C-alpha cells in the first residue's frame, strides 16, 4: 500500500539551514501536523500506535540545542519530531543511519533511546559518515548526550557498514548523498545491503523524498513495490519530505 501525507503548508514551511533551532510555528501546530502524519502511518500499518512522550521529545530537543555543534541542517523541527516519534514508537534494537553529517539526523533517531529523551533501551545505534572530519564532529556531538556508548558514529561508506552489520536491522535511516554521480541514488545501494536482514516490521526512512524525488526514483519504485515492502508513505510537511516504508 502506498500513500502520501501532504500538509497544506508544506511549501511555505521553511527553515534557515544555518539557524536550526529557530521556532517556525507554535508548538501546538507542529505537534498537530506530526500527529496527522503519524495517524496515516498507523492507518497503513507502518506503526503499531501513535503515542510517544512529548515531554521527553522536548528534553531531547533542548539537549541537542544546548550541546550539539550544528553548522547547518535541513532537518526541520517537524522532521526532528517525526524521526524521534517513529523511533520512540517502533523502538528499534538495531538502527543504522547513513550519511549523518554533524550527527543531527542521527540523534533525531537515536535520541529516543539515549540521552534525556530516552524511552527504551537499544543495542546498536550506528551513525555512518564517509567524511572522517564530519564523522569525528558527529561522534563528539553524540558523546555529549549519550554517555553509554550505545549510540556511536563510525567513519566509513554506509554501503560497506550496512553490508558488514550481521545482526537483524530494525530501522535504517537514509540521508547519504554519495560521493559520485549516483548522489542520493545511493539509497538503493545501501538498502540492498541490509534488506535481507530486515525482519517483518522493520522500517526504512528516506530523507528528501520530495526535493530529490527524481534522483530517488529507482529507490522509491523499490520501496513502493508491495513485493518488497508491505506499506510505504511519503510524508510531505516540509520541502524535503520523508519516505517511510515498512517490511
Ligand atoms: C546532505 S548530508 C545530510 C545532512 C542532513 N540531511 C541534515 O540536514 O542534517 C549527507 C552526508 O552524507 C555523507 N555521505 C555521502 N556518501 C556517503 C556514504 N556512501 N556513506 C556515508 N556517508 C555518506 C556526506 O559526506 C554528507 O555528510
Amino acid at each position: 500500500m502506498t500513500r502520501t501525507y501532504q500538509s497544506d503548508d508544506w511549501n511555505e514551511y521553511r527553515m534557515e539551514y544555518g539557524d536550526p533551532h529557530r521556532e517556525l510555528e507554535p508548538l501546538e501546530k507542529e505537534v498537530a501536523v506530526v500527529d496527522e502524519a503519524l495517524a496515516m502511518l498507523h492507518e497503513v500499518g507502518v506503526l503499531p500506535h501513535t503515542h510517544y512522550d512529548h515531554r521527553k521529545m522536548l528534553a531531547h530537543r533542548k539537549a541537542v540545542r544546548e550541546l550539539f555543534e550544528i553548522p547547518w541542517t535541513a532537518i526541520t523541527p517537524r522532521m526532528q519530531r517525526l524521526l524521534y516519534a517513529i523511533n520512540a514508537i517502533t523502538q528499534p534494537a538495531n538502527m543504522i543511519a547513513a550519511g549523518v553529517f554533524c550527527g543531527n539526523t542521527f540523534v533525531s533517531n537515536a535520541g529516543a533511546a539515549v540521552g534525556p529523551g530516552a524511552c527504551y533501551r537499544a543495542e546498536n545505534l550506528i551513525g555512518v559518515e564517509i567524511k572522517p572530519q564530519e564523522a569525528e564532529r558527529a561522534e563528539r556531538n553524540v558523546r555529549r548526550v549519550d554517555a553509554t556508548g550505545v549510540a556511536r558514529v563510525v567513519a566509513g561508506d554506509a554501503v560497506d557498514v550496512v553490508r558488514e552489520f550481521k545482526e537483524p536491522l530494525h530501522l535504517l535511516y537514509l540521508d547519504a548523498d554519495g560521493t559520485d554521480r549516483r548522489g542520493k541514488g545511493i539509497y538503493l545501494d545501501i538498502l540492498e545491503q541490509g534488506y535481507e536482514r530486515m525482519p517483518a516490521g522493520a522500517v526504512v526512512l528516506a530523507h528528501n523524498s520530495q526535493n530529490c524525488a527524481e534522483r530517488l526514483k529507482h529507490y522509491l519504485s523499490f520501496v513502493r513495490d508491495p513485493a518488497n515492502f508491505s506499506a510505504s508513505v511519503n510524508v510531505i510537511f516540509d520541502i524535503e519530505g520523508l519516505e517511510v516504508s515498512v517490511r
Side-chain angles (χ1 to χ4, degrees):
M1 184 187 303
T2 64
R3 297 276 290 274
T4 300
Y5 168 76
Q6 188 164 309
S7 69
D8 295 340
D9 62 351
W10 70 273
N11 203 17
E12 285 87 54
Y13 175 79
R14 303 267 178 151
M15 76 183 296
E16 293 277 346
Y17 290 170
D19 188 9
H21 308 303
R22 202 170 78 207
E23 201 175 284
L24 302 180
E25 62 187 342
L27 191 60
E28 304 72 43
K29 175 82 191 294
E30 174 191 308
V31 169
V33 170
V34 173
D35 275 356
E36 281 181 8
L38 292 173
M40 184 179 286
L41 292 169
H42 175 48
E43 194 185 310
V44 304
V46 173
L47 298 177
H49 61 82
T50 60
H51 313 298
Y52 67 101
D53 188 322
H54 290 213
R55 277 181 311 166
K56 284 192 173 175
M57 194 280 148
L58 290 179
H60 161 75
R61 176 173 287 174
K62 181 169 182 282
V64 171
R65 188 175 61 232
E66 290 172 357
L67 300 172
F68 262 53
E69 181 199 339
I70 301 178
W72 67 268
T73 185
I75 299 297
T76 58
R78 288 180 184 180
M79 190 62 75
Q80 182 193 42
R81 177 174 292 274
L82 180 68
L83 294 174
Y84 174 91
I86 290 172
N87 281 268
I89 293 165
T90 60
Q91 307 202 345
N94 297 324
M95 182 275 284
I96 298 181
V100 301
F101 184 47
C102 66
N104 186 38
T105 55
F106 173 52
V107 84
S108 299
N109 289 281
V114 297
C119 63
Y120 79 100
R121 287 175 78 140
E123 288 168 25
N124 298 285
L125 305 173
I126 304 170
V128 192
E129 169 52 50
I130 204 161
K131 292 184 187 144
Q133 283 183 332
E134 296 302 347
E136 269 174 41
R137 172 166 46 196
E139 171 65 13
R140 258 197 325 273
N141 278 336
V142 169
R143 291 281 63 79
R144 292 184 190 129
V145 296
D146 171 31
T148 68
V150 169
R152 62 188 196 279
V153 177
V154 299
D157 187 328
V159 175
D160 300 332
V161 174
V162 172
R163 185 195 312 115
E164 282 153 26
F165 186 77
K166 298 301 179 200
E167 307 284 320
L169 183 54
H170 305 104
L171 192 142
L172 177 63
Y173 171 79
L174 298 167
D175 210 352
D177 53 5
T179 48
D180 53 29
R181 289 179 57 245
R182 284 174 299 179
K184 291 240 161 190
I186 198 173
Y187 283 16
L188 189 52
D189 300 313
I190 299 169
L191 173 59
E192 280 169 356
Q193 298 304 323
Y195 181 76
E196 293 301 334
R197 289 188 310 291
M198 302 192 83
V203 172
V204 187
L205 307 176
H207 196 229
N208 305 106
S209 59
Q210 171 64 9
N211 61 350
C212 296
E214 178 56 27
R215 189 50 85 98
L216 290 179
K217 66 180 178 214
H218 299 300
Y219 172 84
L220 294 172
S221 304
F222 184 84
V223 296
R224 290 171 185 171
D225 182 342
N228 301 322
F229 281 85
S230 61
S232 198
V233 177
N234 194 4
V235 176
I236 306 170
F237 53 34
D238 60 21
I239 60 166
E240 315 276 326
L242 186 80
E243 183 83 11
V244 183
S245 313
V246 66
R247 278 217 69 185

